[in-house]
Amino acid sequence: MFTNSPTQSITLWDKQIFVKRDDLLDTHFSGNKARKFYHFLVNDFPHIKYIVGSGSAQANSLYSLSVLAKINGWQLDYYVSHISEQVKSQYTSSTASQTNYAKSLENGANVLAIDWQRQQFSDCEHLDDAIEVLKPQYIERYGDKVLFVPEGGRCEFAKTGLKQLAAEVLEWSKATKQNDVVVFLPSGTGTTAVYLNQQLALLNASNDIKVQVATCCTVGDESYLTAQFSQLVDDVHLHPIILNDGNKYHFGKLYLPLYQLWQEVQQSTGVEFDLLYDPIGLSVLKHHLNNPIFADKTVLYLHQGGLIGNQSMLKRYQRKLAKTNVRK
Ligand SMILES: *Cc1c(COP(=O)(O)O)cnc(C)c1O
């Protein structure tokens, strides 16, 4: 269960590209977060009753953690900096309950906004600091029954599922006789890209296939991403290649040219990609497709799921487009 996603061939910008469809791993537990939280599915945690996570109220990781908690019978407390009125209204309005936030509440998650006015958080700058303040309180109350999961699954545990993904990629490469493969995926924290590259190198120690991971930033810049890689994998030779398309993007911001590119890809291939990370990934891929990094190699794009989040992104794009059209 939750393994062996299919690989599909598409033609994009006159080149054959393979897509590893991790969005199809499972209807409820899919994509990149399913890989990162796989560890908690295949190992037993008999003493755990509570999990504590943090991040954004619209994040894919919130939804995946809520599914994981439900499967295991755990109570999830998920902390966020802030819940906007718009996000809250997504839960109350019956037409738009298909968001990460709404579906997580349905799964029984407690989504809790930090009350930054409180004395105990007065020295905190970031959400991570607030979690550090809360940790001892959880441990005092629940002892070893509580498990803390860092934001976005940025932790050692992620290695288990990414080793499995690396094995699937190598198996596919061998079965289809692809011997010079570049796996491309957009990064947030970089956890997926760096562990995937590391595990591919370890599993392919005899080097019978040339396989390399390339990625791009969607959060912060290249120095942020490199620092994230180094936190998880010391050996810089095992870090993925970082590419860009010459533009700087801010995470979660709307870019109409990227939206158009995303639409073009959907129309020409029939594959729906995510609207938060993939538009940047697809733009960087297009930019470099004829460069040595990709030319003459087998390109395998990793579809990392996240499609539930598309509903709210599509609404935001439609509002932006409506405003742009009025101005014209
Ligand atoms: C979380 C996520 C990413 C980023 O993964 P990292 O491991 O943080 O780099 C990319 N795409 C989708 C769809 C995601 O949900």
Side-chain angles (χ1 to χ4, degrees), residues 2-228:
F2 310 114
T3 58
N4 292 311
S5 60
T7 299
Q8 164 187 3
S9 165
I10 59 172
T11 305
L12 252 188
W13 307 301
D14 300 323
K15 191 175 161 85
Q16 182 180 35
I17 291 171
F18 294 91
V19 183
K20 173 84 171 152
R21 299 289 303 270
D22 269 8
D23 56 316
L24 302 177
L25 277 173
D26 179 80
T27 34
H28 299 294
F29 201 62
S30 74
N32 158 309
K33 304 304 178 288
R35 295 292 188 180
K36 292 206 273 191
F37 298 138
Y38 182 68
H39 183 82
F40 301 108
L41 279 170
V42 293
N43 292 292
D44 276 339
F45 296 86
H47 53 288
I48 297 297
K49 298 270 184 290
Y50 305 90
I51 48 173
V52 178
S54 59
S56 142
Q58 305 199 64
N60 300 329
S61 57
L62 163 58
Y63 175 62
S64 302
L65 277 179
S66 77
V67 175
L68 186 68
K70 197 174 159 184
I71 293 172
N72 286 293
W74 299 334
Q75 175 59 53
L76 168 65
D77 283 359
Y78 187 92
Y79 287 91
V80 301
S81 285
H82 175 73
I83 308 177
S84 71
E85 288 309 316
Q86 203 181 331
V87 168
K88 279 187 199 156
S89 73
Q90 290 168 353
Y91 185 58
T92 42
S93 88
S94 58
T95 50
S97 67
Q98 298 299 310
T99 62
N100 283 318
Y101 177 71
K103 289 175 87 86
S104 304
L105 295 187
E106 280 168 19
N107 284 337
N110 289 326
V111 181
L112 305 156
I114 298 284
D115 181 357
W116 295 105
Q117 304 304 320
R118 280 174 64 175
Q119 182 61 31
Q120 62 174 337
F121 301 123
S122 59
D123 290 335
C124 296
E125 266 186 62
H126 304 290
L127 191 54
D128 279 352
D129 305 331
I131 300 297
E132 288 308 314
V133 169
L134 292 167
K135 259 188 193 173
Q137 302 170 19
Y138 272 95
I139 291 168
E140 195 181 320
R141 226 179 310 154
Y142 301 125
D144 63 0
K145 294 190 177 69
V146 58
L147 181 78
F148 299 91
V149 181
E151 190 171 349
R154 167 163 46 82
C155 53
E156 276 279 312
F157 297 122
K159 215 187 267 180
T160 310
L162 292 164
K163 181 176 179 184
Q164 169 64 29
L165 174 58
E168 290 174 30
V169 169
L170 287 173
E171 209 174 291
W172 171 81
S173 307
K174 282 179 194 154
T176 58
K177 303 196 165 46
Q178 313 286 348
N179 46 29
D180 194 356
V181 180
V182 52
V183 184
F184 185 72
L185 66 152
S187 281
T189 64
T191 308
T192 308
V194 77
Y195 279 148
L196 181 60
N197 199 47
Q198 178 198 44
Q199 295 303 315
L200 281 168
L202 294 175
L203 291 177
N204 186 35
S206 59
N207 258 317
D208 37 356
I209 294 166
K210 267 171 78 182
V211 50
Q212 167 72 51
V213 173
T215 188
C216 62
C217 311
T218 64
V219 177
D221 57 10
E222 293 183 16
S223 62
Y224 159 83
L225 192 55
T226 307
Q228 292 285 101

Side-chain angles (χ1 to χ4, degrees), residues 239-271:
H239 290 185
I241 296 168
I242 305 175
L243 303 171
N244 66 64
D245 65 359
N247 296 308
K248 249 184 148 28
Y249 299 108
H250 294 278
F251 189 65
K253 219 180 142 186
L254 305 184
Y255 297 94
L256 287 178
L258 292 186
Y259 178 59
Q260 280 148 9
L261 183 73
W262 175 89
Q263 273 185 318
E264 176 202 323
V265 171
Q266 175 158 1
Q267 277 154 16
S268 69
T269 66
V271 180

